[in-house]
Amino acid sequence: MSQNQTRQLGESGIAVPLLTFGGNVFGWTVDQATSFSLLDALVEKGLWFIDTADVYSRWAPGNKGGESETIIGEWLKRSGKRDQIVLATKVGMEMSPEKTGLKPQYIRQAVEDSLRRLQTDYIDLYQAHRDDQDTPLAETLGAFDSLIREGKVRAIGASNYSAPRLKEALQVSEAHNLARYETLQPEYNLYDRQGYEAELEPLVREQGLGVINYYSLASGFLSGKYRQAADAGKSQRGQGVVDKYLNPRGLRILAALDAISAAHQVTPTQVALAWQIARPGITAPIVSATSLAQLDDLVGATQLKLTAAEIEQLAQASR
């Protein structure tokens, strides 16, 4: 991917590549040494937008949260490549019973914790990991606005917000002259379309927000890894993937991905991601990898141009 193939994160003035790398794997499914080699390769291959969260990967046995940020911070210290990446993290998911939500006092504490773990003095994109309906939006946005004015954060974003709440947040920012959410992080892929397309897509396009969607490969289903019930054993999450996606519609989507990937001599993963990259309003789908070989597959997706007919073929198969 050429370094100049970038898109803007909303109206933030921050340019990013066509894919976002999901840092939840660091300290969970890949150890520190592998994480370092992946991060070096991401910069080298032009996928230098890294998205993590304070809570990654609290769910893994023996972890307490902060592992991903800590590994990225160690890599930044060792590599000196802070100015070569765009770094996104999040606040709001529960780190402990008293460390959760989007109250101003907690945001202030959480950002300092993240900056310390990341070993940097600023975060490019700081995101509300989920909506906190118990805290007035004006208070949350006021806290974020302060962090931007202090230079600790460059831009803010929202993850897992409903369309009505996101619209309300944007209105509050405008009414109170506060920084606004410049990005949305929703679930979106060829299988899971309705939740984003029905209400969020019209809103983000009208408001000029960037979209960095997660589960872009439907937990690996769209890679073609799970094609029959027996494939559930291929990973820890395999049974859940098979239960959710292995049905007539899922198989129809795989068939369309197979046909188009054969025509281009690429992988289904590349086609599934190229379809999203081509969709107006999508900025940079979030992807992950645990090996350098998988990274090359992802880079290939940014170079694949689908025809209008192929885009429509996939849209029809996933209706």
Side-chain angles (χ1 to χ4, degrees), residues 35-36 43 59 87 96 100 111 148 150 153-155 159 169 172 219 247-248 316:
S35 299
F36 283 9
V43 172
W59 56 83
L87 184 56
S96 66
T100 186
V111 78
I148 290 176
E150 290 165 29
V153 169
R154 290 178 67 197
S159 178
V172 167
S219 300
N247 52 47
Q316 288 294 340

Side-chain angles (χ1 to χ4, degrees), residues 24 28 215 217-221 225-226 232 234-243:
N24 63 333
W28 175 33
Y215 287 165
L217 291 171
S219 300
F221 177 74
K225 182 176 176 179
Y226 307 95
K234 286 187 174 180
S235 74
Q236 290 176 317
R237 62 184 179 184
Q239 191 60 54
V241 176
V242 164
D243 290 346

Side-chain angles (χ1 to χ4, degrees), residues 30-38:
V30 293
D31 60 16
Q32 179 163 302
T34 308
S35 299
F36 283 9
S37 63
L38 283 169

Side-chain angles (χ1 to χ4, degrees), residues 117-136:
R117 285 189 292 262
L118 290 163
Q119 301 196 44
T120 182
D121 51 9
Y122 71 98
I123 293 161
D124 294 293
L125 178 66
Y126 199 38
Q127 301 158 97
H129 206 154
R130 66 171 172 211
D131 190 8
D132 173 4
Q133 304 213 11
D134 297 329
T135 304

Side-chain angles (χ1 to χ4, degrees), residues 254-267:
L254 286 187
L257 288 170
D258 287 342
I260 295 168
S261 60
H264 287 272
Q265 296 186 307
V266 296
T267 63

Side-chain angles (χ1 to χ4, degrees), residues 88-108:
T89 192
K90 311 181 196 77
V91 58
M93 291 284 194
E94 184 176 304
M95 291 286 277
S96 66
E98 70 283 358
K99 291 185 174 182
T100 186
L102 298 173
K103 291 199 170 6
Q105 190 179 351
Y106 176 58
I107 289 174
R108 171 70 56 184

Side-chain angles (χ1 to χ4, degrees), residues 5 10 28 38-39 58 97 110 117 124 129 135 160 185 204 222 226 231 239 250 292 314 317:
Q5 204 176 0
W28 175 33
L38 283 169
L39 285 158
R58 185 173 177 234
R117 285 189 292 262
D124 294 293
H129 206 154
T135 304
N160 299 306
Q185 189 168 140
V204 296
L222 298 175
Y226 307 95
D231 292 334
Q239 191 60 54
L292 298 178
L314 289 163

